[in-house]
């Protein structure tokens, strides 16, 4: 049986709820507009800075007679009015495929497509194709202005979720001691968060040999003093340090989908984005709402903007450093904010939760596939901008 589904994801992830309607239709631009309106989401208007993208993920598993599972991240509509999920459309011949909202650590919801092929008679190649369609627009919080009573508010229960420790991001011990030293003398959450951001830019470094985006093991980084890694390490450090001193903070796991319009060669990717995953971070400040940051991308500019790298005082690095405290260029899509994510239906020996869901995950005959090796796992991701 071939499953062809389309789902409008108009609900905010903060509410951890999916709309009940499931429409059996292909995701064409007109359908995207209709579904967005049906879900109560305003149609993104290019005149307001919105850009629409289509992200297609295709997984090809080998033939076999054992059971197989694949779990794919799905674009969300987060708080902040910078991204709208317009729909998810998939095909998975011979499989059961369901869009799930799975709760990870602290009850944070993570949308995913869970695909399962049953065991039994020999099967041919098993393929799933997922297409996410979404709109984004550049995001900026003007921190030069005083806090406003009209700024977006998050319910206290939501903010408490983003103060909790996770398996790899503790908020006590050395983490708290480090954050307290960094923020000593600072008044207010914005100034404390800025001090943490600047400390990370000054003291961390991007390490190109790290697989994927890293693991986000904050305790290891601080205990060993090895403050090297990639985005899931460096931005996880920001999140854990902020939480440890009472500032709600969260990682945002996603993938780049277009080249940078701000002049940074290293901060964008279009077309084949199979290896373009990127984790960002943000913190919450009363009177401003969620504030975007990305110290990891500052260190990416240092290492990769030009061959041989750049010094911290280079004008290009200084521009990125100023921009990425309070701004995100939205040539990137956010999947979720979750941590310690259980994979529904996993049967293998590694059935414990994954630290985050940013890559395709899968297993064949109860053996977990390497999500960081798309050549042996055999998956590809392609992004393109579309005009509505």
């Amino acid at each position: 049986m071939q499953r062809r589904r389309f789902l409008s994801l108009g609900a905010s992830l903060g509410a951890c709820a999916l709309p009940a309607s499931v429409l059996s239709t292909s995701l064409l631009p007109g359908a995207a507009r209709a579904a967005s309106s049906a879900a109560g989401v305003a149609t993104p208007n290019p005149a307001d800075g919105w850009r629409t993208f289509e992200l297609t993920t295709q997984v090809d598993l080998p033939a076999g007679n054992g059971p197989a599972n694949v779990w794919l991240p799905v674009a969300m509509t987060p708080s902040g009015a910078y991204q709208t999920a317009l729909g998810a459309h998939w095909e998975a011949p011979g499989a059961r495929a369901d869009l799930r909202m799975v709760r990870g650590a602290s009850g944070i919801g993570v949308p995913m497509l869970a695909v399962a092929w049953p065991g039994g008679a020999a099967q041919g190649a098993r393929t799933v194709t997922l297409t996410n369609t979404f709109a984004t627009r550049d995001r900026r919080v003007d921190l030069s202005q005083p806090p406003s009573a009209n700024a977006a508010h998050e319910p206290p229960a939501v903010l408490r979720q983003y103060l909790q420790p996770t398996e790899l991001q503790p908020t006590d011990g050395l983490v708290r001691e480090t954050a307290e030293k960094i923020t000593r003398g600072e008044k207010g959450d914005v100034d404390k968060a800025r001090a943490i951001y600047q400390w990370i830019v000054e003291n961390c470094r991007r390490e190109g040999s790290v697989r994927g985006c890293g693991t986000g093991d904050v305790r290891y980084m601080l205990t060993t003093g090895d403050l090297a890694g990639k985005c899931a390490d460096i931005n996880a450090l920001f999140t854990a340090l902020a939480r440890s001193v009472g500032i709600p903070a969260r990682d945002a796991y996603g993938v780049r989908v277009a080249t940078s319009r701000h002049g940074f060669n290293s901060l964008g990717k279009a077309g084949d984005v199979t290896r373009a995953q990127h984790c960002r971070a943000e913190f919450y400040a009363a009177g401003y709402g969620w504030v975007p940051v990305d110290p990891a991308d500052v260190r990416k500019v240092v290492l990769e903007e030009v061959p041989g790298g750049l010094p911290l005082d280079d004008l290009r690095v200084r521009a990125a450093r100023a921009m990425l405290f309070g701004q995100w260029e939205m040539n990137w899509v956010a999947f979720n904010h979750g941590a310690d994510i259980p994979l529904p239906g996993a049967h293998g020996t590694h059935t414990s939760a994954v630290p985050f869901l940013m890559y395709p995950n899968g297993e064949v005959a109860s053996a977990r596939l390497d999500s960081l090796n798309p050549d042996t796992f055999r998956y590809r991701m392609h992004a393109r901008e579309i005009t509505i």
Side-chain angles (χ1 to χ4, degrees):
M1 179 177 64
Q2 185 179 69
R3 293 180 178 272
R4 296 172 58 88
R5 297 276 184 91
F6 168 79
L7 180 64
S8 172
L9 298 179
S12 166
L13 183 63
C16 295
L18 292 174
S21 60
V22 178
L23 308 179
S24 178
T25 179
S26 297
L27 184 56
L28 300 174
R33 286 196 298 270
S36 179
S37 297
V41 179
T43 302
N45 187 339
D48 296 325
W50 289 97
R51 303 167 67 186
T52 302
F53 295 93
E54 185 177 85
L55 174 67
T56 300
T57 302
Q58 179 170 319
V59 178
D60 297 294
L61 300 181
N65 58 7
N69 289 278
V70 168
W71 301 272
L72 302 177
V74 175
M76 65 174 179
T77 298
S79 55
Y82 63 87
Q83 178 176 303
T84 297
L86 296 176
H89 170 229
W90 63 87
E91 298 179 24
R96 176 184 175 87
D98 296 296
L99 196 65
R100 306 281 295 273
M101 180 68 83
V102 177
R103 296 184 185 276
S106 306
I108 297 167
V110 173
M112 68 174 71
L113 181 69
V115 186
W117 287 267
Q123 303 178 38
R126 291 163 284 189
T127 299
V128 55
T129 303
L130 166 67
T131 301
N132 282 290
T133 302
F134 52 89
T136 70
R137 62 180 175 183
D138 286 356
R139 184 181 183 195
R140 179 175 180 268
V141 177
D142 188 355
L143 298 172
S144 68
Q145 298 299 313
S148 170
N150 297 322
H153 294 275
E154 284 280 23
V158 172
L159 296 180
R160 284 195 294 271
Q161 290 181 317
Y162 297 110
L163 286 169
Q164 301 302 312
T166 70
E167 182 68 24
L168 296 178
Q169 297 181 22
T171 57
D172 58 359
L174 185 57
V175 178
R176 183 172 298 161
E177 292 171 13
T178 302
E180 288 175 344
K181 290 178 182 177
I182 294 169
T183 60
R184 186 170 294 138
E186 302 293 348
K187 304 296 184 183
D189 288 349
V190 172
D191 288 342
K192 290 180 180 180
R194 192 191 307 275
I196 293 170
Y197 172 89
Q198 300 294 5
W199 184 88
I200 289 175
V201 171
E202 290 286 343
N203 292 278
C204 292
R205 73 179 191 281
R206 181 177 173 87
E207 177 53 67
S209 64
V210 169
R211 297 188 72 224
C213 290
T215 61
D217 192 338
V218 169
R219 181 182 284 110
Y220 173 85
M221 295 174 72
L222 291 177
T223 301
T224 63
D226 184 8
L227 302 181
K230 287 187 178 173
C231 56
D233 303 306
I234 296 172
N235 285 338
L237 183 57
F238 174 90
T239 297
L241 291 171
R243 289 181 179 184
S244 74
V245 289
I247 303 171
R250 60 192 185 189
D251 298 300
Y253 299 100
V255 65
R256 303 184 200 271
V257 294
T259 57
S260 172
R261 290 179 169 179
H262 292 185
F264 293 101
N265 299 320
S266 59
L267 302 187
K269 189 74 169 69
D272 184 353
V273 296
T274 305
R275 299 178 184 272
Q277 286 79 11
H278 181 54
C279 166
R280 288 175 162 175
E282 54 188 345
F283 70 94
Y284 185 86
Y288 297 101
W290 287 104
V291 179
V293 299
D294 198 341
D297 259 358
V298 181
R299 297 305 310 197
K300 185 175 176 70
V301 170
V302 170
L303 181 66
E304 299 180 11
E305 188 65 16
V306 300
L310 294 168
L312 273 176
D313 61 357
D314 184 270
L315 286 176
R316 287 159 288 189
V317 177
R318 290 162 61 187
R321 188 171 182 170
M323 179 183 74
L324 291 171
F325 188 83
Q327 296 185 58
W328 284 348
E329 182 182 5
M330 286 306 299
N331 56 341
W332 166 89
V333 59
F335 291 139
N336 61 78
H337 299 300
D340 304 334
I341 312 302
L343 299 177
H347 298 296
T349 56
H350 300 89
T351 56
S352 59
V354 293
F356 46 77
L357 187 68
M358 182 163 50
Y359 294 83
N361 279 259
E363 65 179 18
V364 174
S366 300
R368 185 65 57 87
L369 300 171
D370 185 354
S371 63
L372 302 184
N373 192 336
D375 296 327
T376 57
F377 190 161
R378 294 181 61 190
Y379 66 82
R380 286 291 178 268
M381 300 175 70
H382 187 274
R384 71 182 184 98
E385 189 167 1
I386 59 178
T387 302
I388 292 183

